Amino acid sequence: MKALSIRILSLLVGVAVVLAFGVSTSFSAEETKFKEEYKLTLNVAPSFYWGMGATKFAELVKEKTNGKINVKPYYNSTLLKGAQLQSPQMVAKGIIDCAVESTINSSTVIPAMNIFSFPFFINNFENLDKIENGETGKAIFVEMEKIGLKPLAWGENGFRQITNSKRPIEKPEDLKDMRVRVVGSPIFIDTFRQFGADPVNMNWGDAVTAFQQGVVDGQENPVGVLIPVQIYQYHKYVTFWNYLADPLIIYWNKEQWDAFPDDIKKAIQEAANEAARYEKAIARAGLDGDKSLNILKNEFKYTMEVPDPIKFFQEKGMTVTILSEPQLKAFAESAKPVREKWVPQVGKDIYDKAVADMAR
Ligand code: X2X
């Protein structure tokens, strides 16, 4: 009993010392407004292209705010215990300060974001850029602000490609009865059911074990995930079909953002723009001719380890299938009912904006 009360007493003294010390060495009035650490969530590891973007953002924020703002990335959704679809709520509530997140992982909270997951709808970089920089992108940012998120910049996970351990996928029937791991977002389940596959939704944190153990036959992700995760260890076949786009958005808790002084806002915004440009170039490297490789070389003095993803997969022994126009048409036709079903769910206005943006 006595020992316990001494321990409690010493604990109290400790706390008092920390408090007194904290007060006596307090920072200048301006600096005390900032947290010691701003927590950033993202669903993947630092080695993923998306992870490299988050790391870059944290570095640039530190640099551009002269160390006043310290963003710490928490990779692999550790702050969410792997529940990747919860990032927008957690940032909106201010439990997490900011994020570099996939639109897929916010799509259950912000339905408009499902426009990117429409199968065989946005099928190339040009269309994607038109949508992000156009009326659709603007409208999505407005939706984010409504729920308490301040969007800063578009990054990119990439166009998602399908891999599997069974056979080359060239037509919808090739997916028949194939067990495919998908993100826990309903449009993915609809799409793969439409192709006759057997989709299984699973958080990314559980997915790699499922590939290892052969619990699923296939999965779909962009090269920026497939290369670092060494997908060729599990799957021999990859089909490049650009069936849907997966942008990232760098965003901040809005209330916290609004309270930042203007110079801090400006510095963080610049960091987001620069990190997003870098990350997008990495995600597109070798998939858009020399364009992104040159951006990396000239603006960021960065040389890609894998400058040609398709060649890389071939060298790793994978069978790479690149769908021809008629093959893509067959998939697009097969997926039509999914797009139709989802128009009211994303909102007719968003859908119309996307169609108009792409036609521009
Ligand atoms: O779960 C996935 O497949 C991933 C890593 O791409 C996302 O977080 C959307």
Side-chain angles (χ1 to χ4, degrees):
M1 194 58 195
K2 198 173 168 204
L4 187 68
S5 51
I6 288 174
R7 267 164 102 189
I8 291 172
L9 189 70
S10 63
L11 195 71
L12 288 174
V13 169
V15 169
V17 166
V18 168
L19 285 175
F21 187 76
V23 170
S24 69
T25 60
S26 77
F27 304 106
S28 76
E30 194 201 354
E31 275 165 312
T32 47
K33 284 193 289 207
F34 304 126
K35 293 191 191 181
E36 241 169 62
E37 168 185 307
Y38 289 86
K39 292 182 166 44
L40 180 147
T41 184
L42 72 154
N43 193 33
V44 297
S47 59
F48 290 46
Y49 293 0
W50 161 2
M52 290 163 72
T55 307
K56 185 82 165 179
F57 176 58
E59 283 168 10
L60 288 170
V61 169
K62 189 171 218 159
E63 190 187 302
K64 291 178 190 290
T65 62
N66 297 323
K68 284 183 191 159
I69 303 293
N70 171 32
V71 170
K72 177 161 182 208
Y74 286 80
Y75 301 92
N76 298 314
S77 283
T78 46
L79 295 175
L80 307 168
K81 299 196 171 61
Q84 67 189 75
L85 301 180
Q86 284 180 14
S87 40
Q89 295 100 311
M90 297 296 268
V91 176
K93 283 184 192 149
I95 296 168
I96 299 173
D97 303 294
C98 54
V100 179
E101 265 300 350
S102 159
T103 45
I104 298 169
N105 293 337
S106 305
S107 63
T108 46
V109 178
I110 304 154
M113 287 190 187
N114 281 297
I115 195 70
F116 296 108
S117 302
F118 269 41
F120 299 95
F121 180 60
I122 306 168
N123 49 4
N124 58 47
F125 293 129
E126 200 192 338
N127 280 335
L128 180 57
D129 288 341
K130 284 178 178 172
I131 284 189
E132 288 175 1
N133 302 325
E135 293 306 310
T136 323
K138 252 189 239 160
I140 288 170
F141 277 14
V142 169
E143 294 303 311
M144 293 178 76
E145 300 237 4
K146 277 188 201 157
I147 64 155
L149 303 173
K150 168 69 190 175
L152 298 175
W154 295 95
E156 198 152 299
N157 194 15
F159 279 96
R160 297 175 75 93
Q161 320 297 359
I162 188 155
T163 70
N164 83 94
S165 58
K166 298 282 186 212
R167 63 187 89 95
I169 295 170
E170 296 166 351
K171 52 187 182 305
E173 300 78 68
D174 295 330
L175 275 160
K176 190 151 177 24
D177 297 330
M178 197 179 273
R179 271 174 84 77
V180 181
R181 175 270 168 180
V182 293
V183 200
S185 161
I187 192 170
F188 285 79
I189 297 281
D190 286 353
T191 300
F192 281 89
R193 288 219 176 112
Q194 186 66 38
F195 295 144
D198 178 13
V200 191
N201 72 41
M202 204 179 280
N203 282 327
W204 178 248
D206 302 319
V208 179
T209 318
F211 308 154
Q212 264 161 4
Q213 297 177 344
V215 174
V216 292
D217 307 314
Q219 65 83 48
E220 44 73 66
N221 252 298
V223 300
V225 168
L226 303 180
I227 295 168
V229 85
Q230 306 187 336
I231 200 69
Y232 42 86
Q233 286 196 38
Y234 320 110
H235 297 161
K236 187 172 173 349
Y237 304 98
V238 57
T239 293
F240 277 75
W241 62 351
N242 282 14
Y243 89 120
L244 57 85
D246 181 3
L248 305 175
I249 300 178
I250 304 179
Y251 62 81
W252 210 283
N253 170 279
K254 184 163 159 44
E255 204 180 313
Q256 203 180 80
W257 177 267
D258 289 343
F260 278 143
D262 285 345
D263 60 332
I264 293 292
K265 279 185 189 153
K266 185 165 171 278
I268 300 176
Q269 181 64 64
E270 279 173 16
N273 295 348
E274 201 173 317
R277 183 162 170 84
Y278 165 80
E279 192 277 338
K280 240 186 200 191
I282 292 180
R284 294 183 182 190
L287 301 173
D288 64 352
D290 286 344
K291 193 175 166 202
S292 289
L293 288 167
N294 283 336
I295 291 177
L296 291 170
K297 197 167 82 188
N298 301 333
E299 293 177 31
F300 297 97
K301 312 282 167 260
Y302 184 77
T303 311
M304 285 299 286
E305 220 169 283
V306 179
D308 185 341
I310 291 172
K311 192 162 145 224
F312 174 83
F313 291 133
Q314 283 165 339
E315 283 169 1
K316 291 292 179 188
M318 291 182 92
T319 301
V320 179
T321 304
I322 298 168
L323 296 188
S324 65
E325 280 306 318
Q327 286 173 323
L328 286 169
K329 263 215 177 98
F331 273 103
E333 193 52 38
S334 166
K336 199 172 165 200
V338 180
R339 295 192 299 275
E340 285 171 353
K341 174 182 170 186
W342 277 81
V343 170
Q345 309 204 35
V346 295
K348 177 90 169 68
D349 54 329
I350 290 286
Y351 176 78
D352 289 344
K353 282 190 166 85
V355 171
D357 279 340
M358 288 195 284
R360 239 183 278 277

